[in-house]
Structure formats: C-alpha cells, structure tokens
Amino acid sequence: MSNVIRYTAQKLVLCRPAAPATLHFQSYVTRAHPSPLPTAPIQDALQRLISEMDERHLHRSQRWENNKDKRVNQRSAYLTARGRPTHPSEEEVRKEAAEKEYRRMDESVEVALQLNLDPRKPGQALRGSFSLPHGNGKKFGVAVFTDNMELAKEALANGAVVAGGASLIEDIKNGNVSLTSFQRTLASPEMMPQLSAIARLLGPRGLMPNPKLNTIQPQDQLLETLEQQQSGISNYRTDKEGIVRIGIGRGSFGVDKLMDNMRELMNEIQSIKPESFGKGKKGKGGSAKGTKYYLKAHLSTTQSKGSVLVDLRTIDPTSSFFMTDPL
C-alpha cells in the first residue's frame, strides 16, 4: 500500500489511504443489561407446552416397552426371594405386565403472573376466588366447620374429608386429625370465634376460612359451596414479590379450553386492579400515567424443564391483541 503526501496550509502530512470501511455490530450485554428473552403469544405458548408433554409421553412409553422384560424379571426375582404367599406369582406378574399399558400423567398447566404490586402496601395484596369455565382439573379435600351435626353428616356424605364443630377443632388441636388430609376449609359465621383456637395452625398453611375466598358461608349455602370448593373454584393470592401463581387446567384440556380459562383469569385480575400501584410518584387518581400493571408472565407444566415467557400484549385485557396473535 503506497503512501500519499497531503499538503495542508501549515505542514506536510504523510498519511496512508483509508482502508475499506467495515461495520461491526457488537451487542451490549452485561449483568445489568442482559439479552432480552424471546416471548411467545399465549396460544403459541400453550401449544408448545402441550407438544412437549406429548413428546415426553411418547419417549417414556417407548422406554416402558423396551424395559418391560427387564422390569418383569426384576420383580419376579424379588417376589421369589422375599415375597409372601399373598403376593402375585411370577405368572401373574407377567400377565399383568402384558395387559398393563404405560399410564400417562396428566400434567397441570400453571401461570406465574408478575404484577407491579407491593403487597406490604394497603390495597395491593390481592386475594380472591373465581370459577374457571372448564375447571382447574384438580380435586381438593375440604374440611367443613359447623355446629349443626345434621349438616355435618350431609357434608360428609357429599365428599367432605372431615366435618364438625367444637369436637373437630379439638381433634385438630390435639393432632388427631392431620392438617395434610384437607387442602381447603369452609365454615359458618358462628364458628369463626371458635376457630381462633387453631388459627395458628390453619393460618400459615392458608387454610383459615376467609370472606375474600367465599369460604365463610351461612349454613343454608355450605353444601353448595362445598361442591364448588372441591373442584370448580380457584383461589389466588399475591406472594411477597407481587406474583400470582395459579393453575389454569390440565394438558388434556387442549389449547382451546386452556385459552378460555386463561381469558377468565386475566379478566379477573384486571377487574381487581388497585387504583394505586407501582413505584414512583402517584397521580391524583392513583398511579402515574404509563405505569405498567403487568410485568411478566410465565407458563409451565408439572414436569417441564423450564417455562415459556408470554407476550404480555396477548394476555392484557386492555390490549387490542388480547388472546390473539399480534403477528
């Protein structure tokens, strides 16, 4: 490359010709400025999770078939060495293995919705219950507290795990009734003063009856609410980080039913939006203009290795892309 002599008004400058210009793009990524994670519309996110569930089922069913002989031989050898007369024989084990197919797990689908809330501030600790159009796919054990013994018997006949009044409270207090035997509670208003004796046991587990969850009902509505609490009612609450975690159904529901349940959930969360939320200055009517209510939303299943980050435009009820594909 030859040098070029360039004359200026003051001095003679020896310079080299400029090299061809090339553009270099280097992303600016640090711990403070991480690369943005890809998002997916709600329908694509649900379809992806269901496809992953189908792949897991196919892989495990194939492995189940490939290892059938080994599994049968191991069980037969164990029963021969340590089995009892009441245990199945080797022929029965092989017959059962030949007839029994791989049992697929119907995984739950859960959404983790991060809201711009501080539950320590008044009015920002959201809690409530609502009905999903297609249910949540779960069956809950319910304990019913009532001093009406006839009503308690009817509650047991309708599927309650335990039911009763002062005697039931005493059994729970003494440890005769396990707190792990039920996941929800119902009570009539007159029982609430008596429940203070076990509030320190029920409260930390989220089992204390609460009017926000519609779990304090008059006696004439207890049986109807019992049926709803067993299957149809979904409870939610914000944790200390302002995140709502709630199941919206099972993988067997399919995309359409899960979309219906998700729509109902987001309409519920939008309807209880507090007037004041987020950080920074507040306007006259509550939060400052432009303050975001929804920050992030992740979808996951029971056995998924990770979660899918959902495009907030497709789950925000105030967006024109609500429950649609923005592309």
Side-chain angles (χ1 to χ4, degrees), residues 177-195:
V177 174
S178 174
L179 292 173
T180 59
S181 62
F182 53 90
Q183 295 77 46
R184 295 183 176 182
T185 58
L186 281 176
S188 51
E190 63 273 8
M191 292 299 301
M192 294 307 297
Q194 300 183 50
L195 285 175

Side-chain angles (χ1 to χ4, degrees), residues 76-102:
S76 299
Y78 177 84
L79 293 177
T80 301
R82 303 183 182 182
R84 298 178 182 179
T86 56
H87 288 168
S89 63
E90 181 176 351
E91 291 75 13
E92 292 174 337
V93 170
R94 295 188 180 279
K95 181 180 179 181
E96 179 185 2
E99 298 175 351
K100 192 174 182 180
E101 297 181 353
Y102 173 73

Side-chain angles (χ1 to χ4, degrees), residues 34-53:
S35 299
L37 296 175
T39 61
I42 179 62
Q43 187 169 4
D44 292 350
L46 290 171
Q47 186 60 61
R48 174 179 165 184
L49 292 176
I50 291 178
S51 298
E52 290 177 356
M53 281 188 277

Side-chain angles (χ1 to χ4, degrees), residues 105-274:
M105 178 180 181
D106 194 5
E107 300 180 42
S108 298
V109 180
E110 183 183 80
V111 59
L113 186 63
Q114 185 176 357
L115 303 174
N116 194 4
L117 298 175
D118 186 353
R120 296 171 298 180
K121 296 180 180 180
Q124 296 193 32
L126 306 184
R127 188 176 186 182
S129 62
F130 69 107
S131 297
L132 290 171
H134 306 287
N136 50 31
K138 295 183 179 180
K139 191 76 174 179
F140 296 96
V142 182
V144 178
F145 295 95
T146 176
D147 54 6
N148 186 331
M149 291 300 100
E150 290 298 325
L151 184 59
K153 292 179 180 178
E154 291 185 39
L156 291 172
N158 282 272
V161 176
V162 288
S167 59
L168 175 57
I169 294 175
E170 197 65 25
D171 286 340
I172 293 176
K173 187 176 180 180
N174 296 332
N176 297 328
V177 174
S178 174
L179 292 173
T180 59
S181 62
F182 53 90
Q183 295 77 46
R184 295 183 176 182
T185 58
L186 281 176
S188 51
E190 63 273 8
M191 292 299 301
M192 294 307 297
Q194 300 183 50
L195 285 175
S196 60
I198 55 174
R200 63 182 180 85
L201 299 176
L202 299 179
R205 294 170 172 83
L207 295 175
M208 195 67 181
N210 191 305
K212 291 184 178 180
L213 301 179
N214 296 321
T215 51
I216 301 178
Q217 295 288 338
Q219 292 188 4
D220 59 345
Q221 297 181 21
L222 268 181
L223 294 181
E224 180 182 354
T225 309
L226 170 62
E227 182 180 357
Q228 296 174 350
Q229 288 291 335
Q230 284 176 325
S231 58
I233 294 291
S234 294
N235 299 331
Y236 62 88
R237 65 184 302 176
T238 50
D239 63 12
K240 61 181 181 180
E241 302 295 334
I243 300 175
V244 174
R245 294 180 174 86
I246 187 170
I248 59 172
R250 300 275 187 174
S252 60
F253 285 14
V255 174
D256 292 339
K257 289 184 178 181
L258 290 174
M259 288 278 286
D260 291 341
N261 284 352
M262 188 68 183
R263 181 182 292 105
E264 188 68 23
L265 168 63
M266 296 311 300
N267 286 330
E268 171 70 17
I269 297 298
Q270 182 67 28
S271 68
I272 58 173
K273 176 182 176 180

